[in-house]
Amino acid sequence: MTDYTRNIVNNPNGTSQALLIRGATILSMDQNVGNIERGDVLINGATIAAVGQNLNVSGAHVIDATNMIAMPGMVDSHRHAWEGQLRRINPNATCLDDYSSATHFSFAKYYRPADIYVGNLLTALGAIDAGITTTIDNSHNSRTAAHADAAVEALIDSGIRAIHASGAPVAGEWDHAHWPGNWQRLQEKYFTDNPEGRVSLAVMAQLVPELWAEARRLGLLIVTEFFGAEMASQLESLHQQGLLGPDNIFNHCTALPDRGWEILREAGVRVNVCPRSDAHYGIESGMFAIEAAQRHGITPGLSVDNETSYSTDMFMEMRVAFYLQRVMGMHKQQCCDAEPALKTLPASRLLKAATLDGAACAGLQHKVGSLTPGKQADLVLINATDLNLYPSGNAFGTVVHAAERSNIDTVMIGGRLVKQNGRVLGVDHAQLRAAIDASRAHLFAASGYQPDIFADAFLPLGQAH
């Protein structure tokens, strides 16, 4: 029996009626479909039926998307969703120890299943609001079976498409008896009867072959926090033993030497990079690894990582990626005698990293990531007439360099409208805020934390600001 309510979100039902999005500027992220200055998207049920111009279907419900940009829903390929109610509690963190002090070694130990539910639900709804339709939930605070259930149920209730990667806590007391057997229990309880549902299961585990073997016995993806300078020495042995493969998803991959990248490419390991968190927390070199990955034939997805220090949106992730790569290129030119014509990623390529490449990282490129007939209808409409966007001199530039959450008019997941007219649908906002406030009050009281919304730094629990 749960100790939390599951009626904060009343997801709108889908419709069997055909839906026609008409007159949008289409950024399909599909080379065969291309980009269309003024085109239409036809949706039947959960699926994209056609993308083109002057589509007409008798009886279809029409959404007038004139002066809107239609694009695939964005994919966040690495997010610690349970931390939702700890948003911006540690904005000036400078290292991973700062992050861990404000999460694993403090509040995480006092999370109840209700707090896991609230954190995951808030994160998922915030992602939807920001045009993120798919996320890989890196859940490293499953203290009991009930905590793990709460995390899954929140994702299901939110309406988001997600891969829930269940992992063990980092600190504090927790029920070791349910680990790693919890993976099979979750699979049987939530996923056996609905293997093609919006939410699916993975595992979160570090470089532990025994845990990887159990995940593979169950046919589950394996998500790992991977720091290249620290962990690269283990790759050769893992590769020689055949323990690396396309079911591995590595986060970060900072400061990885060339041989490490060669091993990941040879083994087919999937990668996501973290423009903001790597810089914010000074992870190894502090520079996200997209240039090195692409140089070795790997096209990583982008990820937000967490919200304890910054915002939830992929727009900022793309912008930080753009500018960091430019700075990195200029540094190489000035300090390392690089060729003057150093290539940097254009806006269109960064949008691909936030959509199709992220879908590939999640193993969902056959379902989402582009506006392709036959794929799931996960898409976003951006209102290009908003004051901060009009006029739109370049569609990719508008999305990557100027758009923000408030410009997202419509979000659809699997053919279901989950945000319309700029508002996430079906959410009881008063009840959601009450649940968040109650969770924070419990976590702060249980840990002895005295909140200070003006503090420059997060202090260890029990210390005065």
Side-chain angles (χ1 to χ4, degrees), residues 105-126:
F105 301 127
S106 54
F107 305 114
K109 297 182 288 185
Y110 302 100
Y111 264 67
R112 306 161 298 178
D115 304 307
I116 291 287
Y117 182 87
V118 167
N120 265 38
L121 183 65
L122 178 58
T123 296
L125 293 175

Side-chain angles (χ1 to χ4, degrees), residues 14 46 57 64 68 77 122 131 165-166 196 232 275 283 300 324 327-328 331 352 358 360 419 446 449 461:
V57 177
D64 182 2
M68 291 190 183
S77 43
L122 178 58
S166 180
E196 296 301 316
I283 299 175
L324 282 179
V327 169
M328 183 166 55
H331 174 77
K352 180 174 178 284
K419 181 177 182 178
Y449 176 69
L461 302 186

Side-chain angles (χ1 to χ4, degrees), residues 46-363:
T47 306
I48 298 172
V51 181
Q53 293 178 293
N54 302 315
L55 301 179
N56 286 297
V57 177
S58 178
H61 174 72
V62 175
I63 293 179
D64 182 2
T66 303
N67 295 319
M68 291 190 183
I69 296 173
M71 54 173 272
M74 289 175 279
V75 179
D76 181 353
S77 43
H78 160 212
R79 179 76 71 92
H80 303 293
W82 62 271
E83 300 167 356
Q85 61 271 72
L86 303 179
R87 286 173 168 174
R88 270 75 66 191
I89 201 166
N90 197 17
N92 298 311
T94 59
C95 61
L96 273 178
D97 284 347
D98 288 348
Y99 162 77
S100 294
S101 292
T103 54
H104 297 300
F105 301 127
S106 54
F107 305 114
K109 297 182 288 185
Y110 302 100
Y111 264 67
R112 306 161 298 178
D115 304 307
I116 291 287
Y117 182 87
V118 167
N120 265 38
L121 183 65
L122 178 58
T123 296
L125 293 175
I128 290 171
D129 193 33
I132 297 168
T133 55
T134 299
T135 187
I136 302 179
D137 171 28
N138 289 225
S139 191
H140 48 10
N141 198 23
S142 295
R143 299 188 169 271
T144 67
H147 286 74
D149 288 353
V152 172
E153 289 170 2
L155 295 173
I156 292 171
D157 292 350
S158 73
I160 201 167
R161 190 180 303 280
I163 297 175
H164 173 68
S166 180
V170 173
E173 296 181 1
W174 51 283
D175 182 8
H176 291 257
H178 89 291
W179 191 260
N182 182 58
W183 295 338
Q184 182 168 339
R185 186 194 64 81
L186 285 174
Q187 189 178 57
E188 293 172 350
K189 182 172 183 178
Y190 293 101
F191 304 105
T192 300
D193 294 335
N194 189 22
E196 296 301 316
R198 283 181 291 100
V199 180
S200 58
L201 184 64
V203 307
M204 189 176 182
Q206 290 307 103
L207 307 181
V208 182
E210 294 78 13
L211 293 179
W212 289 15
E214 174 63 9
R216 284 169 171 150
R217 184 183 72 81
L218 298 171
L220 302 177
L221 296 173
I222 304 163
V223 178
T224 299
E225 298 278 29
F226 188 84
F227 307 114
E230 176 186 340
M231 302 178 181
S233 63
Q234 301 179 61
L235 287 180
E236 196 73 60
S237 175
L238 291 169
H239 189 37
Q240 290 177 0
Q241 296 176 69
L243 296 178
L244 296 173
D247 56 356
N248 288 110
I249 300 173
F250 282 5
N251 306 333
H252 296 285
C253 293
T254 45
L256 185 62
D258 285 346
R259 178 53 187 156
W261 285 112
E262 291 167 4
I263 290 173
L264 298 190
R265 186 189 66 243
E266 291 168 7
V269 173
R270 306 173 198 171
V271 171
N272 66 82
V273 295
C274 314
R276 280 188 291 178
S277 79
D278 290 348
H280 197 114
Y281 302 115
I283 299 175
E284 297 189 314
S285 67
M287 182 60 68
F288 78 120
I290 200 166
E291 187 272 336
Q294 293 188 321
R295 184 160 40 85
H296 289 90
I298 296 173
T299 51
L302 298 181
S303 62
V304 172
D305 193 355
N306 73 87
E307 295 181 70
T308 63
S309 295
Y310 45 76
S311 68
T312 186
D313 64 293
M314 293 294 286
F315 297 116
M316 279 301 298
E317 220 60 64
M318 290 187 285
R319 284 166 205 162
V320 169
F322 183 91
Y323 292 112
L324 282 179
Q325 197 191 29
R326 288 293 175 97
V327 169
M328 183 166 55
M330 288 185 286
H331 174 77
K332 285 186 176 181
Q333 288 177 0
Q334 294 170 8
C335 302
C336 308
D337 297 323
E339 291 295 324
L342 185 72
K343 293 182 179 179
T344 55
L345 295 180
S348 60
R349 184 61 192 80
L350 285 167
L351 187 59
K352 180 174 178 284
T355 53
L356 189 58
D357 293 343
C361 180

Side-chain angles (χ1 to χ4, degrees), residues 21-30 33-37 39-43 48 50-51 63 65 67-76 127-134 302 313-319 347-359 367-372 375-384 389 392 394-405 407-419:
I21 297 172
R22 175 175 287 164
T25 296
I26 297 174
L27 303 178
S28 74
M29 310 314 299
D30 182 317
V33 173
N35 305 310
I36 305 173
E37 186 170 354
D40 311 326
V41 181
L42 176 64
I43 297 164
I48 298 172
V51 181
I63 293 179
N67 295 319
M68 291 190 183
I69 296 173
M71 54 173 272
M74 289 175 279
V75 179
D76 181 353
I128 290 171
D129 193 33
I132 297 168
T133 55
T134 299
L302 298 181
D313 64 293
M314 293 294 286
F315 297 116
M316 279 301 298
E317 220 60 64
M318 290 187 285
R319 284 166 205 162
S348 60
R349 184 61 192 80
L350 285 167
L351 187 59
K352 180 174 178 284
T355 53
L356 189 58
D357 293 343
K367 281 188 175 183
V368 299
S370 64
L371 301 184
T372 302
K375 284 191 177 184
Q376 291 282 291
D378 290 15
L379 59 84
V380 170
L381 295 179
I382 294 174
N383 190 344
L389 299 186
S392 177
N394 179 283
F396 286 108
T398 294
V399 172
V400 173
H401 288 302
E404 57 191 45
R405 178 209 58 79
N407 302 127
I408 297 175
D409 178 88
T410 300
V411 178
M412 181 176 288
I413 300 176
R416 297 165 61 249
L417 289 167
V418 292
K419 181 177 182 178

